[in-house]
Amino acid sequence: MEMDGAKRTRGAAKREALVQAAAELFWIRGFEATSLADIAAASNVPLGNIYYYYKSKADLAMAVANLFVAQTERLVADVCGETPDPRERLKFFVARLQSTQSSRVRYGCPISGAARDFRRTMPEPSARAAESFSLLTGFLAAELGRTGARPSVSLSRARAAIADWQGSIALAHALNEPTVLAECFRRMERLLTAAR
């Protein structure tokens, strides 16, 4: 019985290693340019064993999209766990985004990259990855509403903040200019924490 539990634990660790490697390689190289052999090498899982965990590269794409959603849910939970005050939560949220600034300047946004790259041939993983943006927008709108903003204003400001962040990531990445993203975070904080 213990042997089965250890085997399941090893299997879960390999499955997680494959998804983490795929997420990073899809982000850095792009989905099309990443082979299953690349993922196997990066995860230290033999190529032939990948098929035991994932039947295809499309299955890995869905697993990566699920990972992004889970990470987004964890981010929101972490921010909510910091303080009950909505304005403080919004500041903490911006600070958490800032902590990823250098990797976003270097490689762009992994979530928008996945949503874009998967869309042509795999609409379900693309839509699943994009759910991360819906979660973030919903969180921001709810917190803005808790500060007293009307629902339509809350949603509009939440969308503006996410759109500015994503556009700034794209521009900062294209120009290799961190200042573009740093300026965005200052704007986001003003937009999200301004008095209503």
Side-chain angles (χ1 to χ4, degrees), residues 9-178:
T9 301
R10 283 194 305 275
K14 287 182 180 180
R15 180 179 286 275
E16 185 177 334
L18 286 165
V19 175
Q20 291 289 344
E24 186 168 338
L25 291 170
F26 293 167
W27 181 25
I28 294 169
R29 296 183 185 176
F31 178 76
E32 293 296 330
T34 300
S35 69
L36 288 176
D38 296 330
I39 295 166
S43 64
N44 292 316
V45 174
L47 179 58
N49 289 9
I50 287 181
Y51 298 102
Y52 178 75
Y53 301 102
Y54 297 99
K55 302 294 182 210
S56 66
K57 198 170 158 188
D59 286 345
L60 264 169
M62 181 58 90
V64 167
N66 287 333
L67 174 68
F68 291 153
V69 169
Q71 289 173 338
T72 303
E73 289 170 340
R74 213 165 25 253
L75 167 65
V76 169
D78 288 350
V79 169
C80 289
E82 282 297 310
T83 176
D85 181 81
R87 282 194 177 82
E88 290 302 312
R89 284 181 176 179
L90 292 167
K91 285 180 187 177
F92 188 69
F93 173 79
V94 174
R96 286 292 300 270
L97 295 186
Q98 284 177 304
S99 71
T100 66
Q101 179 174 331
S102 63
S103 62
R104 298 310 188 258
V105 171
R106 189 175 216 178
Y107 302 115
C109 177
I111 299 167
S112 65
R116 178 199 62 229
D117 290 352
F118 300 165
R119 180 167 291 136
R120 189 169 48 84
T121 57
M122 299 167 300
E124 288 179 25
S126 172
R128 179 65 172 157
E131 283 179 38
S132 291
F133 295 126
S134 297
L135 288 168
L136 293 175
T137 302
F139 164 72
L140 293 179
E143 293 304 311
L144 287 165
R146 291 181 64 227
T147 69
R150 292 190 321 273
S152 61
V153 171
S154 297
L155 182 58
S156 177
R157 287 187 180 171
R159 286 178 176 159
I162 297 299
D164 187 10
W165 175 54
Q166 284 298 298
S168 295
I169 289 173
L171 186 58
H173 174 62
L175 299 176
N176 193 29
E177 181 52 65

